[in-house]
Amino acid sequence: MNQTPKHAVIFAYHDVGVACLQALIDAGMQIDLVITHADDPNETIWFGSVQKLCDQQGLPCRIVQQSELLTLLPEIKAIAPDYLFSFYYRFMLPSELLETASIAALNMHGSLLPKYRGRAPVNWAVLHGETETGATLHVMEAKPDAGDIVGQVAVPIEIHETGKEVFDKVSQAAKQVMDRVLPQLMQGKVPRHANRLTEGSYFGGRKPEDGRIDWTNSAMAIYNLIRAVAPPYPGAFTELSGQKVILTKSSLPLEPSVDLPPSIAAFLTKSGLGMHLVDNRYFGLCGDGKALELFSMQE
């Protein structure tokens, strides 16, 4: 016996939005409306376009400002969706919209909830030196990233990977989560288990200024910052000879007395914390006495 198609309204953006929307299309979900938002003119657009995918698939798609979200309420009520999905949509959805879903309102988050709730979860995970993160589909509530967990896939974070490289893996994990849970969702069943909030923390958004390097920090902390916000993110930065320099790649922490020529080690120790040019090589001396060789930078 053929099952009745399930209807959905989608709020989506970015690579995760594209991947998860494609998963719904592949599963045969009836997509009645897709809402996305305009690209930020001040942001480097390096990711996929939800609007382009909708155009290719003939799906109804609109750009809606955050202040206009509640104006959608009558239209979405008329659709009477079984599901409402949010896939890397950057605005919080009002509870009135969440309540329009007769089965569930679900959000895809880029971490292993309950860890790294909130904004920029991949960047925070890399910055804190985590060795694992992932993607989590969860029930949406008024409080962000707090609802029951529906599905989850983990990915490793290698010590050399940048935030962008990890984000690409998380985007693939998000698609895997959808592929795993969609057979049940298409039957109207939502697998769920508790999102134990006390086992994780909430993190706020990051601004370009947050990339300023504090050389009193440990070499590993600075190494992780550099890779966490490397381009296409705004980048970690410092000053050299009065000029701002964006650092995009460094070595792992070095013990100057062991890993560097004596002349360079002596120069760094004498020069103090910060970025230095020594023998046509760039180094940063850090608060724990270790150094980073700086390989790639932008002015």
Side-chain angles (χ1 to χ4, degrees):
M1 184 175 72
N2 293 330
Q3 64 183 24
T4 304
K6 294 295 183 288
H7 291 252
V9 171
I10 317 296
F11 294 78
Y13 191 66
H14 219 290
D15 284 345
V16 171
V18 171
C20 293
L21 179 56
Q22 186 64 58
L24 295 181
I25 294 168
D26 294 343
M29 183 79 69
Q30 178 63 46
I31 299 169
D32 296 295
L33 179 62
V34 178
I35 302 298
T36 189
H37 45 74
D39 294 331
D40 184 342
N42 298 315
E43 181 178 359
T44 301
I45 306 303
W46 51 268
F47 41 81
S49 169
V50 167
Q51 188 171 29
K52 182 178 179 179
L53 177 59
C54 289
D55 291 344
Q56 293 170 344
Q57 297 291 330
L59 298 174
C61 179
R62 295 212 302 275
I63 292 175
V64 176
Q65 302 300 319
Q66 185 174 17
S67 60
E68 301 171 335
L69 286 174
L70 278 176
T71 67
L72 295 169
L73 190 57
E75 181 179 3
I76 295 178
K77 280 185 174 180
I79 292 172
D82 298 294
Y83 295 103
L84 188 149
F85 291 98
S86 178
F87 300 135
Y88 261 64
Y89 190 71
R90 291 177 173 175
F91 305 144
M92 285 290 296
L93 299 183
S95 58
E96 294 92 336
L97 292 182
L98 304 185
E99 292 166 0
T100 62
S102 62
I103 297 177
L106 304 174
N107 175 64
M108 184 67 71
H109 185 71
S111 78
L112 294 177
L113 291 178
K115 294 182 177 180
Y116 296 99
R117 303 190 301 277
R119 302 289 185 179
V122 170
N123 307 88
W124 281 115
V126 176
L127 190 149
H128 285 123
E130 298 286 355
T131 59
E132 182 183 62
T133 189
T136 303
L137 186 69
H138 68 93
V139 176
M140 274 191 283
E141 297 180 350
K143 186 176 181 180
D145 307 325
D148 286 351
I149 292 172
V150 175
Q152 196 169 67
V153 168
V155 298
I157 300 176
E158 305 296 341
I159 191 64
H160 62 275
E161 287 181 320
T162 66
K164 167 64 166 59
E165 290 168 332
V166 177
F167 184 87
D168 290 344
K169 293 162 71 171
V170 168
S171 297
Q172 295 172 9
K175 175 80 161 51
Q176 293 171 19
V177 172
M178 296 303 297
D179 290 341
R180 290 183 185 183
V181 302
L182 268 166
Q184 294 177 76
L185 298 183
M186 295 295 286
Q187 297 176 26
K189 301 175 182 177
V190 182
R192 49 202 294 172
H193 63 272
N195 186 0
R196 303 185 187 282
L197 302 186
T198 57
E199 298 176 8
S201 299
Y202 182 88
F203 291 84
R206 294 188 58 81
K207 305 180 294 297
E209 180 62 25
D210 296 329
R212 180 181 293 277
I213 294 173
D214 180 353
W215 292 103
T216 66
N217 287 335
S218 70
M220 183 57 77
I222 296 171
Y223 171 81
N224 286 335
L225 172 63
I226 291 170
R227 66 191 183 104
V229 298
Y233 299 109
F237 66 92
T238 189
E239 287 77 33
L240 180 66
S241 301
Q243 298 294 316
K244 178 180 176 180
V245 179
I246 297 175
L247 305 179
T248 60
K249 186 177 181 181
S250 78
S251 68
L252 283 163
L254 304 168
E255 291 281 359
S257 61
V258 176
D259 301 317
L260 296 174
S263 60
I264 293 178
F267 181 91
L268 291 177
T269 303
K270 181 175 62 177
S271 299
L273 303 182
M275 182 177 175
H276 306 284
L277 174 61
V278 192
D279 293 345
N280 294 317
R281 297 165 68 181
Y282 290 95
F283 294 90
L285 186 64
C286 309
D288 57 358
K290 296 182 180 180
L292 299 172
E293 184 165 7
L294 308 169
F295 298 123
S296 180
M297 58 202 73
Q298 302 171 358
E299 294 186 357

